[in-house]
Amino acid sequence: MIVLVQSFYLRLIWVLAGNIMLNQTISRVIKSLSLLTFLYAIGVAIAFLSYVLFSFSVSFEKMLYVAFGSTAVIDCGVAAVMSLVLVQTRSQASHTSTNVINYLVTFFVATGFLTAVAAVLTIVLYIVRPSTVLYLTVEFSVPKLYANSILAMFNAKSRMQKHMNTTEELKVPSVLFFGDAPAGNEEDGSS
Protein backbone atom coordinates (compact mmCIF):
# COMPACT_ATOMS: atom_id res chain seq x y z
CA MET A 1 0.00 0.00 0.00
CA ILE A 2 2.83 2.39 0.87
CA VAL A 3 4.55 2.01 -2.50
CA LEU A 4 1.24 2.35 -4.38
CA VAL A 5 0.34 5.64 -2.69
CA GLN A 6 3.86 7.00 -3.03
CA SER A 7 3.78 5.99 -6.71
CA PHE A 8 0.50 7.83 -7.18
CA TYR A 9 1.93 11.01 -5.65
CA LEU A 10 5.10 10.65 -7.72
CA ARG A 11 2.94 10.32 -10.84
CA LEU A 12 1.13 13.51 -9.88
CA ILE A 13 4.47 15.28 -9.61
CA TRP A 14 5.54 13.86 -12.98
CA VAL A 15 2.35 15.01 -14.74
CA LEU A 16 2.15 18.38 -13.00
CA ALA A 17 5.82 19.20 -13.64
CA GLY A 18 5.28 18.57 -17.33
CA ASN A 19 2.10 20.63 -17.62
CA ILE A 20 2.83 23.80 -15.73
CA MET A 21 5.05 26.64 -16.82
CA LEU A 22 8.32 25.62 -15.22
CA ASN A 23 11.79 26.09 -16.51
CA GLN A 24 12.45 23.10 -18.79
CA THR A 25 15.57 22.13 -16.82
CA ILE A 26 13.67 22.17 -13.51
CA SER A 27 10.90 20.10 -15.06
CA ARG A 28 13.40 17.49 -16.27
CA VAL A 29 15.12 17.34 -12.87
CA ILE A 30 11.78 16.91 -11.07
CA LYS A 31 10.68 14.18 -13.48
CA SER A 32 14.04 12.38 -13.16
CA LEU A 33 13.93 12.52 -9.37
CA SER A 34 10.37 11.21 -9.28
CA LEU A 35 11.29 8.30 -11.57
CA LEU A 36 14.40 7.45 -9.53
CA THR A 37 12.41 7.67 -6.30
CA PHE A 38 9.77 5.35 -7.72
CA LEU A 39 12.38 2.78 -8.76
CA TYR A 40 14.12 3.05 -5.39
CA ALA A 41 10.83 2.55 -3.53
CA ILE A 42 10.05 -0.54 -5.59
CA GLY A 43 13.54 -1.92 -4.91
CA VAL A 44 13.29 -1.31 -1.16
CA ALA A 45 9.83 -2.89 -1.04
CA ILE A 46 11.06 -6.02 -2.84
CA ALA A 47 14.15 -6.27 -0.61
CA PHE A 48 12.07 -5.76 2.54
CA LEU A 49 9.56 -8.44 1.56
CA SER A 50 12.28 -10.91 0.64
CA TYR A 51 14.01 -10.40 4.03
CA VAL A 52 10.76 -10.65 5.98
CA LEU A 53 9.48 -13.70 4.14
CA PHE A 54 12.67 -15.70 3.74
CA SER A 55 15.12 -14.84 6.50
CA PHE A 56 14.09 -13.24 9.75
CA SER A 57 17.65 -12.55 10.93
CA VAL A 58 19.97 -9.81 12.11
CA SER A 59 19.85 -8.24 8.66
CA PHE A 60 16.13 -7.70 9.28
CA GLU A 61 17.06 -4.89 11.65
CA LYS A 62 19.07 -3.13 8.94
CA MET A 63 16.34 -3.68 6.40
CA LEU A 64 13.78 -2.21 8.79
CA TYR A 65 15.92 0.90 9.18
CA VAL A 66 16.42 1.23 5.43
CA ALA A 67 12.77 0.60 4.54
CA PHE A 68 11.16 2.94 7.04
CA GLY A 69 13.94 5.52 6.80
CA SER A 70 13.46 5.56 3.03
CA THR A 71 9.72 5.89 3.48
CA ALA A 72 10.19 8.94 5.69
CA VAL A 73 12.64 10.56 3.25
CA ILE A 74 10.43 9.84 0.23
CA ASP A 75 7.35 11.26 1.99
CA CYS A 76 9.17 14.44 2.95
CA GLY A 77 10.61 14.72 -0.56
CA VAL A 78 7.23 14.25 -2.23
CA ALA A 79 5.68 16.89 0.03
CA ALA A 80 8.53 19.33 -0.62
CA VAL A 81 8.61 18.87 -4.39
CA MET A 82 4.82 18.96 -4.75
CA SER A 83 4.73 22.14 -2.65
CA LEU A 84 7.51 23.67 -4.75
CA VAL A 85 5.70 22.87 -8.00
CA LEU A 86 2.41 24.23 -6.67
CA VAL A 87 4.01 27.39 -5.27
CA GLN A 88 5.55 28.02 -8.71
CA THR A 89 2.03 28.08 -10.18
CA ARG A 90 0.67 30.29 -7.40
CA SER A 91 2.45 33.39 -8.71
CA GLN A 92 0.42 33.21 -11.94
CA ALA A 93 -2.92 32.43 -10.31
CA SER A 94 -5.89 34.55 -9.34
CA HIS A 95 -7.02 34.98 -5.73
CA THR A 96 -9.45 32.04 -5.88
CA SER A 97 -6.82 29.84 -7.47
CA THR A 98 -4.29 30.88 -4.84
CA ASN A 99 -6.65 29.66 -2.10
CA VAL A 100 -6.96 26.26 -3.76
CA ILE A 101 -3.20 26.03 -4.27
CA ASN A 102 -2.59 26.98 -0.62
CA TYR A 103 -5.01 24.23 0.44
CA LEU A 104 -3.18 21.68 -1.74
CA VAL A 105 0.22 22.72 -0.38
CA THR A 106 -1.08 22.41 3.19
CA PHE A 107 -2.60 19.02 2.37
CA PHE A 108 0.60 17.59 0.87
CA VAL A 109 2.81 18.93 3.65
CA ALA A 110 0.46 17.60 6.36
CA THR A 111 0.07 14.12 4.88
CA GLY A 112 3.78 13.85 4.07
CA PHE A 113 4.72 14.93 7.58
CA LEU A 114 2.23 12.57 9.23
CA THR A 115 3.34 9.51 7.30
CA ALA A 116 7.03 10.40 7.79
CA VAL A 117 6.50 10.73 11.56
CA ALA A 118 4.82 7.32 11.63
CA ALA A 119 7.77 5.76 9.77
CA VAL A 120 10.31 7.38 12.11
CA LEU A 121 8.23 6.32 15.13
CA THR A 122 8.37 2.71 13.92
CA ILE A 123 12.17 2.91 13.80
CA VAL A 124 12.39 4.56 17.22
CA LEU A 125 10.14 1.96 18.83
CA TYR A 126 12.22 -0.83 17.31
CA ILE A 127 15.45 0.74 18.59
CA VAL A 128 14.06 1.32 22.09
CA ARG A 129 12.31 -2.05 22.52
CA PRO A 130 13.61 -4.51 19.90
CA SER A 131 12.63 -7.60 21.90
CA THR A 132 8.95 -6.61 21.88
CA VAL A 133 6.57 -6.16 19.01
CA LEU A 134 5.65 -2.64 20.11
CA TYR A 135 6.90 -1.25 16.79
CA LEU A 136 4.29 -3.37 15.01
CA THR A 137 1.48 -1.29 16.54
CA VAL A 138 2.67 1.68 14.51
CA GLU A 139 3.81 -0.36 11.53
CA PHE A 140 0.33 -1.83 11.06
CA SER A 141 -1.24 1.64 11.13
CA VAL A 142 1.13 3.09 8.50
CA PRO A 143 -0.67 1.57 5.46
CA LYS A 144 -3.94 2.91 6.87
CA LEU A 145 -2.42 6.39 7.05
CA TYR A 146 -1.41 6.14 3.41
CA ALA A 147 -4.85 4.90 2.39
CA ASN A 148 -6.50 7.70 4.34
CA SER A 149 -4.23 10.32 2.78
CA ILE A 150 -5.15 9.32 -0.75
CA LEU A 151 -8.84 8.87 0.13
CA ALA A 152 -8.88 12.33 1.75
CA MET A 153 -7.56 13.79 -1.48
CA PHE A 154 -10.25 12.04 -3.50
CA ASN A 155 -12.97 13.01 -1.00
CA ALA A 156 -11.98 16.67 -1.18
CA LYS A 157 -12.74 16.53 -4.89
CA SER A 158 -16.23 18.05 -4.79
CA ARG A 159 -15.24 20.92 -2.52
CA MET A 160 -12.16 21.77 -4.53
CA GLN A 161 -13.87 21.17 -7.88
CA LYS A 162 -16.29 23.98 -7.06
CA HIS A 163 -13.39 26.38 -6.48
CA MET A 164 -11.46 25.14 -9.50
CA ASN A 165 -14.32 25.57 -11.92
CA THR A 166 -14.64 29.25 -11.04
CA THR A 167 -11.32 30.05 -12.72
CA GLU A 168 -10.06 29.10 -16.14
CA GLU A 169 -6.40 28.51 -15.24
CA LEU A 170 -7.20 25.69 -12.80
CA LYS A 171 -9.21 23.55 -15.21
CA VAL A 172 -6.07 21.72 -16.40
CA PRO A 173 -4.79 20.97 -12.86
CA SER A 174 -8.31 19.80 -12.00
CA VAL A 175 -8.07 17.24 -14.79
CA LEU A 176 -4.62 16.23 -13.58
CA PHE A 177 -5.64 15.67 -9.98
CA PHE A 178 -9.09 14.23 -10.41
CA GLY A 179 -9.29 12.90 -13.97
CA ASP A 180 -12.41 14.89 -14.83
CA ALA A 181 -12.61 16.45 -18.24
CA PRO A 182 -14.40 19.81 -18.38
CA ALA A 183 -17.94 19.63 -19.75
CA GLY A 184 -18.10 19.96 -23.53
CA ASN A 185 -14.58 18.67 -24.15
CA GLU A 186 -15.51 15.03 -24.62
CA GLU A 187 -14.33 13.57 -27.85
CA ASP A 188 -16.64 10.89 -29.13
CA GLY A 189 -15.01 10.40 -32.52
CA SER A 190 -17.98 11.76 -34.51
CA SER A 191 -17.76 14.87 -36.66
Side-chain angles (χ1 to χ4, degrees), residues 5 22 33 94 128 139 160 167:
V5 174
L22 281 178
L33 287 175
S94 68
V128 172
E139 186 177 340
M160 291 177 58
T167 60

PDB file of all heavy atoms in Angstrom, residues 5 22 33 94 128 139 160 167:
ATOM      1  N   VAL A   5       0.703   4.238  -2.948  1.00  0.00           N
ATOM      2  CA  VAL A   5       0.335   5.637  -2.686  1.00  0.00           C
ATOM      3  C   VAL A   5       1.492   6.562  -3.039  1.00  0.00           C
ATOM      4  O   VAL A   5       1.289   7.609  -3.664  1.00  0.00           O
ATOM      5  CB  VAL A   5      -0.118   5.814  -1.222  1.00  0.00           C
ATOM      6  CG1 VAL A   5      -0.352   7.279  -0.897  1.00  0.00           C
ATOM      7  CG2 VAL A   5      -1.388   5.017  -0.969  1.00  0.00           C
ATOM      8  N   LEU A  22       7.064  25.665 -15.963  1.00  0.00           N
ATOM      9  CA  LEU A  22       8.318  25.618 -15.216  1.00  0.00           C
ATOM     10  C   LEU A  22       9.467  25.721 -16.212  1.00  0.00           C
ATOM     11  O   LEU A  22       9.308  25.399 -17.385  1.00  0.00           O
ATOM     12  CB  LEU A  22       8.461  24.295 -14.464  1.00  0.00           C
ATOM     13  CG  LEU A  22       7.719  24.107 -13.170  1.00  0.00           C
ATOM     14  CD1 LEU A  22       7.978  22.716 -12.627  1.00  0.00           C
ATOM     15  CD2 LEU A  22       8.116  25.131 -12.134  1.00  0.00           C
ATOM     16  N   LEU A  33      13.950  12.880 -10.791  1.00  0.00           N
ATOM     17  CA  LEU A  33      13.928  12.520  -9.370  1.00  0.00           C
ATOM     18  C   LEU A  33      12.707  11.681  -9.018  1.00  0.00           C
ATOM     19  O   LEU A  33      12.808  10.743  -8.227  1.00  0.00           O
ATOM     20  CB  LEU A  33      13.971  13.781  -8.503  1.00  0.00           C
ATOM     21  CG  LEU A  33      15.319  14.491  -8.449  1.00  0.00           C
ATOM     22  CD1 LEU A  33      15.199  15.786  -7.655  1.00  0.00           C
ATOM     23  CD2 LEU A  33      16.382  13.599  -7.846  1.00  0.00           C
ATOM     24  N   SER A  94      -5.002  33.546  -9.916  1.00  0.00           N
ATOM     25  CA  SER A  94      -5.892  34.555  -9.338  1.00  0.00           C
ATOM     26  C   SER A  94      -6.065  34.284  -7.843  1.00  0.00           C
ATOM     27  O   SER A  94      -5.546  33.305  -7.307  1.00  0.00           O
ATOM     28  CB  SER A  94      -7.241  34.514 -10.040  1.00  0.00           C
ATOM     29  OG  SER A  94      -7.905  33.301  -9.729  1.00  0.00           O
ATOM     30  N   VAL A 128      14.255   1.268  20.646  1.00  0.00           N
ATOM     31  CA  VAL A 128      14.063   1.324  22.095  1.00  0.00           C
ATOM     32  C   VAL A 128      13.697  -0.045  22.674  1.00  0.00           C
ATOM     33  O   VAL A 128      14.221  -0.451  23.703  1.00  0.00           O
ATOM     34  CB  VAL A 128      12.978   2.374  22.453  1.00  0.00           C
ATOM     35  CG1 VAL A 128      12.615   2.328  23.912  1.00  0.00           C
ATOM     36  CG2 VAL A 128      13.475   3.765  22.081  1.00  0.00           C
ATOM     37  N   GLU A 139       3.594   0.148  12.882  1.00  0.00           N
ATOM     38  CA  GLU A 139       3.814  -0.362  11.532  1.00  0.00           C
ATOM     39  C   GLU A 139       2.504  -0.801  10.876  1.00  0.00           C
ATOM     40  O   GLU A 139       2.304  -0.575   9.674  1.00  0.00           O
ATOM     41  CB  GLU A 139       4.797  -1.530  11.563  1.00  0.00           C
ATOM     42  CG  GLU A 139       5.184  -2.019  10.186  1.00  0.00           C
ATOM     43  CD  GLU A 139       6.204  -3.133  10.238  1.00  0.00           C
ATOM     44  OE1 GLU A 139       6.888  -3.295  11.256  1.00  0.00           O
ATOM     45  OE2 GLU A 139       6.307  -3.851   9.232  1.00  0.00           O
ATOM     46  N   MET A 160     -13.178  21.070  -3.755  1.00  0.00           N
ATOM     47  CA  MET A 160     -12.155  21.772  -4.526  1.00  0.00           C
ATOM     48  C   MET A 160     -12.594  21.970  -5.971  1.00  0.00           C
ATOM     49  O   MET A 160     -12.222  22.962  -6.590  1.00  0.00           O
ATOM     50  CB  MET A 160     -10.841  21.014  -4.457  1.00  0.00           C
ATOM     51  CG  MET A 160     -10.243  21.066  -3.067  1.00  0.00           C
ATOM     52  SD  MET A 160      -8.751  20.130  -2.895  1.00  0.00           S
ATOM     53  CE  MET A 160      -7.727  20.861  -4.129  1.00  0.00           C
ATOM     54  N   THR A 167     -12.403  29.383 -11.998  1.00  0.00           N
ATOM     55  CA  THR A 167     -11.319  30.050 -12.721  1.00  0.00           C
ATOM     56  C   THR A 167     -10.839  29.175 -13.860  1.00  0.00           C
ATOM     57  O   THR A 167     -10.797  27.958 -13.751  1.00  0.00           O
ATOM     58  CB  THR A 167     -10.128  30.343 -11.787  1.00  0.00           C
ATOM     59  OG1 THR A 167      -9.658  29.117 -11.257  1.00  0.00           O
ATOM     60  CG2 THR A 167     -10.514  31.284 -10.681  1.00  0.00           C
TER      61      THR A 167
END
